[in-house]
Amino acid sequence: MAELRTEAAAFTRDSAVPAELEGGETKAVSHLRQQALAAYREMPWPSSTRDEDWRRTPQVDKLDPASYLPATPGGWLQEMARPGAMGAATSVGPSAVAPAARELGEALRSEPERWAPLLGSLAAPGLRKLVALNTARFQEGELVHVGRGEQLQEPVRIRHGVGDLEAAFPRTLVVLEEGASATILEEWLSPESARGLLVPVTEVVVGRGAKLTHLVSQRLGTDAVLQSTLRARLMEGASYQLSFALLGGLWGKSYLEVDLAGEGCEFRSAGLCVGQRSQHFDLQSLQDHLARGAVSDLLYRAAVADRSRSVFAGLIRVEEGAQKTNAYVQNRNLLLSPTAKADSNPTLEILANDVRCTHGTAAGRIDEEQLFYCQSRGVTREEARRLVVEGFFADVVDSFPEGGLREEARGWVLAALDQLARSGALSAHPS
Amino acid sequence: MPDLLEISGLQVEVEGKRILDGVDLRVPTGEVHALMGPNGAGKTSLGYAVMGHPKYLVVGGEILWKGESVLGIPPEQRARKGLFLSLQYPTAIPGVTTANFLRSALKGLGKELPAREFLKEVREQLSLLKMDQAFLSRYINDNFSGGEKKRMEIVQLAVLRPEMAILDETDSGLDVDALRTVAEGVNRVRESGMGVLIITHYQRILEYITPDRVHVMAAGRVIASGGAEMVRDIERTGYDPLLRAAGIEEVEAAGAVSG
Ligand SMILES: Nc1ncnc2c1ncn2[C@@H]1O[C@H](COP(=O)(O)OP(=O)(O)OP(=O)(O)O)[C@@H](O)[C@H]1O
Ligand SMILES: [Mg+2]
């Protein structure tokens, strides 16, 4: 019976996009939507048996976006950046009061010729089925634009979420012009046990010599499904620091793709994942070196407990002509139960000859000697396990944006570990 | 009054292999005992067994702490009762700072201090052990030199203030000045009446911390006990006479017990 229903569901996926566009949007935007509608209908639904990307995430075979309700607007907070929102810091100068983030729809209506061409320039509708879906359906979204030479003092906060039985397709466009600098916190949330589908697409352009610090925090409730795409493009001398924490949800796939398009640009990323219950996290990253002398470094640490699973595929591609590239990708996994799983597949694809690239992967369990050492000093075994897991994430957390955000992020990780401890996942197993 | 620590007929196995074979040893409250013996005699294993390392399975005999058995009790509870083991090779825990580690330990022992007092105490002990304050925020034992690890064990001893410390070759790998610093550190904690079992290969540390009794282990058991003067005899003649008197072949002494 269940099988039958699944089969039937597969045939409704087309209705996830409208048959026709509603009017009221500018020409440029409706053109993009049109493309997205077509792309969505043309592309086959991802398949765990046919698509390498999805081989270890068969959940996708049963996912049907048409089976979710459209998100109620305003159901989720969409916080605009406000100077002082983070407390403490006081800043002067025009940059601090400039509206750093604005509603994307409004920006597209008031300055279509300026923003519409950027939309989809990195994550084109044809990139993937779910990007097409987001492009066809996004209503809510943000534009973060930081003008030439502007230095944003306060972090910009973007918050996306989804409610029960809903599907939401938030879209974010981040543009830092030459020499600008900013810090962005992007949060993905949903109410506890809400069965929603969140499909965020974020496009990021870091202009010449600009510096962006970006922290993505996925703290979805227990039953939400995530399909995210983050694509960034770095210009000459740009610097992009991306930190991420994947902590919630039922299952999800996240694409994280960066074009190192300008000479000497730099991408540094560190992220972590805490898996529990039967959570399933699939992360696929791409460090695409298109220009000379760029640096990229990605470190991903996942700790998986219970029957949870982490799947990681990280590709470093060095295009012809991208000489003097320095690129690293590393995935470390900590298995906290005999039934947890971690798949790791970092790969290199190098078409230039004068480069330094390395990839590494390791999976292990908590070291018994470390536990004994803690215990011999009075720490309970459970607390010792927690301490070791916390230590496992230390270098990632320490690389998060300095200041209040880092402490906030540390708090999320500790909360996830508390949850692990409460559920007994840290004490259930002898080692 | 029962002894602080009383070990009798202790038999221990690791992965089915007999490592300790009938150890008898008593350390009365407030006394300092030295434990010596050739490599592989079982000294470290004895420390582990007393502390409750899960790999060191007690298959016979008894370990009494103040007259009560600690067998079957997890290490953290033995620590809470007042036992402390300074490891021969202290374990590194990457990502866990010394401060965090010690805070967790104090909390586990029910001796939690307010943040400021805690920092003051740890800073003071670090400087007494002539260690840089930067060690506070370094990951515990991670990339520490051999001597730094040993000194950090004594910093911990001083902060955690147990009733008895088993010091497993805490003197090994220390330069002459560090050895004195460490010995002074131990003696400071001893003022509160702490019992000590010093596992060592050398006379030197025992010149700073004078033992009330000396025990020699070989082939998984204690083969001789005596006063402090035994140390000098051993230094002069080695273990041979003691081994022969106990009827132990040298080869056997350096390996695990057979059977
Ligand atoms: N975890 C273990 N697994 C296997 N064998 C072990 C283990 N621990 C100890 N042994 C064996 O038990 C015997 C005693 O070892 P132990 O470390 O207790 O000796 P020791 O007296 O401390 O020696 P040293 O003076 O060299 O430190 C040795 O033969 C050793 O190889
Ligand atoms: Mg030893």
Side-chain angles (χ1 to χ4, degrees), chain A residues 368-370 372-381 387-388 390-391 394-395 398, chain B residues 51 53-55 76 79 84-85 92-93 95-96 100 104-105 108 139 141 153 156:
Chain A
E368 189 60 46
E369 298 307 318
Q370 293 181 339
F372 172 72
Y373 190 61
C374 295
Q375 287 179 276
S376 78
R377 301 293 141 98
V379 182
T380 64
R381 192 172 175 85
L387 204 58
V388 171
E390 205 184 315
D395 59 349
D398 289 344
Chain B
M51 207 64 226
H53 193 300
K55 273 193 199 149
E76 64 268 28
F84 179 93
L85 171 66
I93 312 181
V96 177
N100 199 9
S104 304
Y139 300 149
N141 296 328
E153 294 288 272
Q156 294 185 46

Side-chain angles (χ1 to χ4, degrees), chain B residues 32 38 58 117 129-131 146 207 210 218-220:
Chain B
V32 175
V58 174
E117 260 172 70
L129 267 297
K130 302 198 164 64
M131 293 186 83
E207 283 165 7
T210 322

Side-chain angles (χ1 to χ4, degrees), chain A residues 67-366:
Chain A
S67 68
Y68 294 85
L69 302 167
T72 21
W76 269 90
L77 305 166
Q78 307 232 342
E79 243 205 61
M80 302 274 283
R82 274 189 307 271
M86 288 296 294
T90 46
S91 53
V92 285
S95 61
V97 286
R102 56 203 273 213
E103 215 264 306
L104 183 61
E106 181 275 317
L108 288 170
R109 277 190 301 279
S110 59
E111 296 176 283
E113 62 297 324
R114 188 167 184 193
W115 304 118
L118 282 172
L119 205 65
S121 66
L122 295 179
L127 182 65
R128 279 185 294 271
K129 185 102 176 171
L130 284 145
V131 172
L133 184 59
N134 172 287
T135 312
R137 286 192 54 181
F138 80 86
Q139 294 298 332
E140 301 177 52
E142 277 77 29
L143 167 69
V144 179
H145 171 232
V146 187
R148 204 185 151 106
E150 256 186 277
Q151 319 286 316
L152 280 197
Q153 304 298 325
E154 300 293 334
V156 178
R157 295 194 155 224
I158 296 169
R159 200 170 256 191
H160 290 130
V162 67
D164 196 21
L165 304 175
E166 293 178 352
F169 305 90
R171 186 85 179 204
T172 306
L173 179 60
V174 177
V175 181
L176 264 67
E177 291 188 13
E178 186 171 343
S181 84
T183 298
I184 296 175
L185 166 61
E186 186 174 351
E187 292 174 279
W188 299 333
L189 307 163
S190 68
E192 201 53 37
S193 69
R195 289 152 297 170
L197 169 65
L198 187 66
V199 188
V201 173
T202 303
E203 291 172 286
V204 174
V205 183
V206 189
R208 287 174 59 149
K211 187 174 186 308
L212 177 62
T213 304
H214 190 181
L215 171 57
V216 176
S217 172
Q218 189 274 78
R219 306 195 314 283
L220 291 164
T222 47
D223 292 315
V225 173
L226 175 73
Q227 298 293 324
S228 69
T229 297
L230 169 66
R231 269 198 84 100
R233 191 172 178 84
L234 315 189
M235 306 318 223
E236 193 181 327
S239 146
Y240 182 35
Q241 186 198 335
L242 173 66
S243 311
F244 57 95
L246 304 175
L247 300 169
L250 183 63
W251 70 276
K253 172 131 189 151
S254 297
Y255 284 94
L256 192 170
E257 298 163 310
V258 177
D259 290 345
L260 293 112
E263 213 172 304
C265 64
E266 195 177 296
F267 169 57
R268 298 202 185 270
S269 182
L272 59 86
C273 162
V274 178
Q276 44 197 320
R277 301 178 301 276
S278 57
Q279 280 182 314
H280 180 109
F281 296 89
D282 184 334
L283 176 67
Q284 186 165 338
S285 67
L286 170 67
Q287 293 151 258
D288 200 358
H289 283 259
L290 306 157
R292 286 176 63 91
V295 176
S296 73
D297 189 354
L298 179 108
L299 167 66
Y300 179 49
R301 287 185 180 273
V304 280
D306 304 326
R307 284 156 293 118
S308 65
R309 185 171 181 185
S310 162
V311 176
F312 173 72
L315 173 63
I316 291 175
R317 191 157 60 206
V318 182
E319 310 285 353
E320 223 174 310
Q323 302 294 10
K324 307 283 180 201
T325 286
N326 272 292
Y328 311 94
V329 58
Q330 205 190 131
N331 174 220
R332 309 261 152 201
N333 298 307
L334 184 61
L335 303 165
L336 296 173
S337 92
T339 45
K341 260 182 98 169
D343 298 291
S344 184
N345 185 25
T347 45
L348 306 175
E349 206 179 287
I350 301 174
L351 302 173
N353 52 23
D354 183 14
V355 302
R356 280 180 52 188
C357 298
T358 57
H359 64 87
T361 172
R365 299 182 186 279
I366 291 187

